Amino acid sequence: MRKLVYYVAVSLDGYIAGPNGEFDFYPFDAEQMAELNAEYPEFVPSHLRSHVGMAVDEPNRHFDTIIAGRGTWEPGLADGVTSPYAHMRQYVVSTSLRLDDPKVEIVAGDPVALVRRLKKEEGLDIYLCGGGNLAAQLLGEIDEMIIKSYPVVAGGGISAFAGEFSPTLFTPAKRKEYGNGALVTWFTRA
C-alpha cells in the first residue's frame, strides 16, 4: 500500500511559514539542498528544476502524487504557476479555490477519503506538501514524516499541525545535521 509522507521545514517553535506565508527565513545550505534534491527530485517544482541544476524530466524516485492545501498552492498562483508539480498527479484540497488547469484536481470534499482512495491505487508514495491545517486533518493518515528542523524561532505564523489536540507518536528512523544547523529527521508512525 502507498504511504502518505509529510515533508516540511519547521522552525524551533513549530512554524512552517510566517503569518503571511514567508519561508525565506530558513538558513540556506548548499549541501543540504543538493542531497535532498538528489534523493527526492519530485519535491522540486517542475518550473524550478533547471534553476537548481536538475533536468526538467528528472524521474520520480519515491512519489508520483502530491496533495496540498490552498494556502500552499497560492504562492505559485501569484507567480502565474498553476501546475507547479507537473511531474506528479496534483490534488489541491480547497472549497474556495477556482483553477482552470486540467493537470490539477481541486478537491472540495473530505481529504481523508481522498488519501484513503489514493493509498489503495497502484503507484509510488503520496507527498503531503502542506499546509498545517491540511496536515492536522490528515494526521491519522500520515505514515511517515521528513522534518527539516531549522535553528530559528519564527515567533508566529503557520503551525506545522494547526488542528485539535491529538497526540500521535512517531519514531525517528534516521537523522542528519547540516552546516546551517538544520536537522533533517525521518519519522515513521509508531
Side-chain angles (χ1 to χ4, degrees):
M1 183 179 279
R2 301 167 80 191
K3 295 178 288 191
L4 180 65
V5 180
Y6 188 27
Y7 174 75
V8 68
V10 67
S11 65
L12 290 174
D13 50 349
Y15 294 105
I16 60 176
N20 298 308
E22 307 92 343
F23 56 87
D24 57 352
F25 56 89
Y26 293 120
F28 177 79
D29 184 274
E31 177 192 11
Q32 175 190 5
M33 186 178 87
E35 283 185 14
L36 292 173
N37 289 353
E39 181 62 29
Y40 303 102
E42 47 274 86
F43 293 158
V44 180
S46 304
H47 65 287
L48 297 178
R49 287 176 163 207
S50 62
H51 298 292
V52 297
M54 184 184 295
V56 174
D57 60 351
E58 183 78 28
N60 295 340
R61 297 187 60 186
H62 303 279
F63 304 88
D64 62 8
T65 304
I66 181 172
I67 183 171
R70 177 194 47 80
T72 300
W73 220 253
E74 283 181 335
L77 294 175
D79 290 336
V81 179
T82 58
S83 177
Y85 295 92
H87 53 281
M88 292 192 278
R89 291 172 50 199
Q90 303 168 90
Y91 296 90
V92 180
V93 177
S94 175
T95 57
S96 61
L97 183 65
R98 302 294 174 251
L99 182 62
D100 186 25
D101 189 319
K103 296 178 184 171
V104 180
E105 184 176 332
I106 305 297
V107 178
D110 178 17
V112 172
L114 169 66
V115 168
R116 287 179 179 167
R117 178 178 58 82
L118 292 173
K119 282 183 170 185
K120 292 177 184 175
E121 295 176 358
E122 291 294 319
L124 299 175
D125 288 336
I126 305 157
Y127 165 31
L128 173 56
C129 186
N133 288 327
L134 181 59
Q137 292 175 60
L138 293 173
L139 180 57
E141 296 299 319
I142 295 173
D143 301 292
E144 296 179 1
M145 293 189 293
I146 304 168
I147 305 294
K148 299 179 293 180
S149 301
Y150 287 90
V152 61
V153 173
I158 301 168
S159 176
F161 290 92
E164 297 178 11
F165 182 72
S166 181
T168 305
L169 187 62
F170 284 81
T171 302
K174 177 175 123 179
R175 284 196 174 107
K176 178 153 187 191
E177 187 172 348
Y178 290 91
N180 60 351
L183 182 64
V184 179
T185 307
W186 288 257
F187 293 94
T188 58
R189 183 172 285 282

